[in-house]
Amino acid sequence: MKEELLFQLDMVWQLFQYHCEDLKETEIGWCRTEDGLQVRKKGSAWIPDWPETEEYTIGPASIGWTLWHILYWWKTVLSTSTGGRILDRNEVLWPESGTAAIREIRDCHDKWVEFLLSLEESEFQSDRLCRWPFEGRSFTELALWLNMEFMKNTAEIGAARFLYAVSEQ
């Protein structure tokens, strides 16, 4: 199972790198609608929106928010799966630029791959390492969820880039 999970992750990773190539800070901060999820500067801090609703009427999220969201769930899964604790979303800070966020995502990716490689095949069937975002499932199911979440967020970045390219900004 390890080999298949890593293959799937690598496919998504290649698409993520493609969508983040030549990504400009103006694209990262742009949002199609005012109500769309964004990372907003409030005083000296950057605060990611937290949706009160997931209705379609809020519109798509900004690339910046999507990058932060990747950091949020990947850092939280890394923390809980490696023996740490569940992070509060306020503990996962926006690194203040898209370039820095992509660098942190790359670091999460590398740590995750290293962690997966360190596991025995039997650990993938155990629920011992699966504590967030759900419990009582096999680690394989957690890793599959993470790959799916990464694929979804990567597709959202690509879609936002298409919207930005045809917008009047």
Side-chain angles (χ1 to χ4, degrees), residues 27-127:
E27 287 179 89
I28 290 166
W30 179 82
C31 195
R32 175 74 173 88
T33 67
E34 192 62 34
D35 292 335
L37 299 171
Q38 300 181 49
V39 180
R40 302 174 198 271
K41 186 143 186 160
K42 294 182 181 171
S44 62
W46 288 91
I47 309 297
D49 291 340
W50 193 253
E52 298 297 320
T53 179
E54 292 193 18
E55 293 180 14
Y56 293 113
T57 56
I58 66 171
S62 71
I63 292 172
W65 188 89
T66 304
L67 292 171
W68 171 82
H69 191 240
I70 293 169
L71 288 169
Y72 166 66
W73 54 253
W74 218 336
K75 285 183 175 190
T76 304
V77 167
L78 277 165
S79 176
T80 60
S81 295
T82 60
R85 61 184 177 73
I86 298 172
L87 302 176
D88 182 87
R89 72 174 186 261
N90 297 317
E91 293 179 83
V92 180
L93 304 176
W94 172 247
E96 299 190 21
S97 77
T99 303
I102 292 166
R103 190 171 39 249
E104 283 191 33
I105 291 168
R106 185 171 290 115
D107 185 50
C108 287
H109 168 269
D110 294 349
K111 286 177 181 174
W112 182 247
V113 169
E114 183 179 328
F115 179 62
L116 292 177
L117 289 171
S118 76
L119 298 176
E120 299 293 328
E121 282 294 330
S122 61
E123 292 177 286
F124 285 89
Q125 299 313 312
S126 170
D127 66 354

